[in-house]
Amino acid sequence: MDRMEPLNEIFKRIGQTSSTRNTLSDSELEELTSSEEPHCDVCNDTRWFVVAPNENAPASARKVIPCQCQERVWGVKPTDRMRQYSDLGPLERLTFDTVELGTRDTFSEPSSFREAYHAAQRFVTDQQGWLVICGPSGTGKTHLAAAVGNALVESDQPVRYVSVPDLLDHLRSAFDPAVGAQYDDVFLQAIEAPTLILDDLGAQSSTAWADEKIDQIFTHRYNRRLPTLVTTGMRFEELGDRLRTRLGDPYFSTVVNIKAGSGKPDIRDSGLESRLSEAMTFDSFTTKGAAGASAAQQRSLSEAHAAAKVFAEHPSGWLYLAGPTGVGKTHLAAAIVGESIAQGRDVLFRFVPDLLDDLRRSYGPSGGKSFDHTFSQVRDVEILVLDDLGAEASTAWAEEKLYQLIVHRHDSMMPTVFTSRTALETIGDSESRITSRYSDAIVSRLSDANVVAERYLSAPDFRHRGAAPRPRSTGGRKSSRK
């Protein structure tokens, strides 16, 4: 697609009443298309007009219309160019007609969603002030934002839609001389858009540079009273002071909150793959073990299975499932996730090395979500399942993040499940893997018998079809936990 014509030249003349002449003779059009550098005397090559009743008219009274020359210059009709400028792309399918306003509350609470729906429709009609839509992920914020954009395009009103993380990525890339777009053009397309839709504020990586760019956009548009729609997955009170000052101006801005629905959580939101949730259930777990399992090994599987079921039915304290590879620790952890979802509980399953990788990436410019958002989601979830503790790369940074996570959930007595190849009974042994790997503060909380219940699964590896498991360490004191 051709590079979009920036609107900065239009707004240099925005205080002036533009000519309403927007017709070209056939000879003029022919000259326009045959010229090596197409020139239009009507719009002076801006390709747009700003029409206003007078030079002091507010933004809501000004109208931006395309010049007829666009069809010959870009090979598209002005209405098509308007849609290209909007950058709605695949979101063209999301309109007010496709919004469901029934009584189902699976994703969002119906009355709060209807309030946001009607506020979005008023924004299309009035095109004044700012509209801020807050709400958790999956409640329909982006659908309403896209519906506003598509409605404005259908009424021939220029609107620019962009997600905040994408906008910041484009601004970063514009610094690279190898990229065609210039930084000023990209920035001005956002800062001076006649109507701007900023989706997913708060999902960007939080850096001083990113905060500065966002502040510049909002300050510019706030001072000039340019119509702006913002969606955010953050609570309004979680936004920074400067953002709240502008977004919450009661004389200029409307803030609506969409509440989460009371429907059951979706397994896809738990972090556990659907195929694992379907295969790894309590019913499919065999307490007989693989071929060659002794009576004692089968008993360890039965005890772990029973403990996991009790935890899933009445989540409380911490459950620590230990044992060698392939004995069913992750199976029982996944079964706990599935049962928690069935009960409508908020649960999150994370493989520890992947979790730490995600946290590291959230620091970088390509991070889809800020570190604070990613970390708080794990730290504060109702039930957390951490799979394969101890498999992560051992670094001071990784230990610090685990320390913060474990301390918070221990102090708050939040239900947590750990799986690990390291038994807790070796804590206190200076040569044990877990004692040498983690700080005393982490070890102390994991060994708290008042909070943590450990079950050790001792059986042949299911994946080896009956091969004998690696021997369990016998060093150190015996655990008093059952």
Side-chain angles (χ1 to χ4, degrees), residues 315-462:
S316 177
W318 289 6
L319 177 63
Y320 190 97
L321 300 173
T325 298
V327 295
K329 304 184 299 296
T330 299
H331 189 136
L332 291 178
I336 290 173
V337 173
E339 182 65 24
S340 299
I341 291 291
Q343 294 179 11
R345 301 183 187 278
D346 189 14
V347 59
L348 188 63
F349 177 97
R350 295 308 308 266
F351 178 57
V352 175
D354 286 349
L355 168 62
L356 293 171
D357 282 347
D358 288 345
L359 290 175
R360 290 187 187 96
R361 280 193 295 268
S362 68
Y363 277 115
S366 60
K369 293 184 177 180
S370 68
F371 171 83
D372 289 342
H373 179 85
T374 303
F375 187 72
S376 63
Q377 182 186 36
V378 178
R379 182 193 61 193
D380 299 328
V381 69
E382 181 183 357
I383 301 173
L384 176 63
V385 179
L386 292 176
D387 189 37
D388 217 357
L389 179 68
E392 72 281 355
S394 181
T395 66
W397 184 91
E399 182 176 333
E400 177 188 353
K401 298 306 119 183
L402 285 174
Y403 168 76
Q404 292 173 335
L405 182 62
I406 288 173
V407 168
H408 175 82
R409 296 191 68 86
H410 181 272
D411 292 348
S412 303
M413 296 294 290
M414 303 177 76
T416 308
V417 178
F418 299 88
T419 76
S420 178
R421 284 170 278 176
T422 303
L424 290 180
E425 70 173 15
T426 58
I427 286 183
D429 182 353
S430 60
E431 296 181 358
S432 75
R433 180 184 180 192
I434 197 166
T435 301
S436 61
R437 185 181 186 87
Y438 297 122
S439 66
D440 291 342
I442 292 178
V443 170
S444 173
R445 286 163 174 82
L446 289 175
S447 61
D448 186 350
N450 295 317
V451 176
V452 186
E454 181 191 14
R455 293 295 182 272
Y456 190 92
L457 290 75
S458 174
D461 189 335
F462 282 101

Side-chain angles (χ1 to χ4, degrees), residues 12-81:
K12 289 179 182 178
R13 304 183 295 108
I14 199 166
Q16 302 176 1
T17 302
S18 300
S19 168
T20 58
R21 177 175 175 256
N22 187 29
T23 58
L24 297 175
S25 66
D26 292 339
S27 61
E28 288 174 319
L29 284 174
E30 183 177 355
E31 179 183 354
L32 179 64
T33 57
S34 62
S35 173
E36 183 178 351
E37 294 184 358
H39 172 68
C40 177
D41 290 326
V42 177
C43 66
N44 195 26
D45 299 337
T46 64
R47 316 306 180 202
W48 304 87
F49 291 100
V50 177
V51 179
N54 58 71
E55 63 181 25
N56 295 319
S60 59
R62 298 167 182 166
K63 185 175 182 180
V64 182
I65 62 174
C67 179
Q68 187 179 351
C69 69
Q70 287 191 16
E71 185 170 357
R72 294 297 184 91
V73 173
W74 289 309
V76 296
K77 296 179 180 179
T79 53
D80 294 334
R81 188 62 185 176

Side-chain angles (χ1 to χ4, degrees), residues 280-295:
M280 296 183 174
T281 66
F282 285 120
D283 291 339
S284 64
F285 184 86
T286 174
T287 59
K288 298 296 184 182
S294 66

Side-chain angles (χ1 to χ4, degrees), residues 148-168:
V148 168
N150 286 310
L152 290 173
V153 169
E154 289 299 320
S155 61
D156 293 329
Q157 294 299 308
V159 57
R160 180 73 170 158
Y161 171 94
V162 64
S163 75
V164 175
D166 286 347
L167 171 62
L168 294 173

Side-chain angles (χ1 to χ4, degrees), residues 184-314:
D184 288 343
D185 287 350
V186 175
F187 192 60
L188 286 170
Q189 286 165 10
I191 205 170
E192 294 185 339
T195 299
L196 179 65
I197 298 175
L198 285 175
D199 192 27
D200 226 358
L201 175 68
Q204 73 279 358
S205 298
S206 182
T207 66
W209 180 87
D211 292 343
E212 177 188 349
K213 296 303 114 181
I214 292 172
D215 182 72
Q216 287 177 331
I217 292 172
F218 281 126
T219 299
H220 179 94
R221 299 187 66 83
Y222 179 83
N223 291 339
R224 288 159 180 77
R225 294 303 196 251
L226 295 174
T228 307
L229 188 155
V230 180
T231 76
T232 178
M234 301 177 66
R235 296 183 179 90
F236 188 79
E237 58 272 16
E238 293 176 342
L239 298 172
D241 292 340
R242 285 181 64 84
L243 283 179
R244 291 201 309 272
T245 299
R246 287 159 176 75
L247 298 180
D249 185 340
Y251 300 102
F252 180 61
S253 181
T254 300
V255 179
V256 293
N257 292 279
I258 304 178
K259 299 178 182 178
S262 59
K264 291 183 178 180
D266 193 320
I267 190 68
R268 293 169 297 182
D269 297 328
S270 69
L272 183 67
E273 294 183 16
S274 298
R275 65 179 182 84
L276 293 182
S277 67
E278 294 171 358
M280 296 183 174
T281 66
F282 285 120
D283 291 339
S284 64
F285 184 86
T286 174
T287 59
K288 298 296 184 182
S294 66
Q297 291 172 336
Q298 292 179 8
R299 185 166 58 252
S300 75
L301 297 178
S302 296
E303 291 176 352
H305 180 265
K309 285 198 70 174
V310 170
F311 183 92
E313 293 168 0
H314 307 285

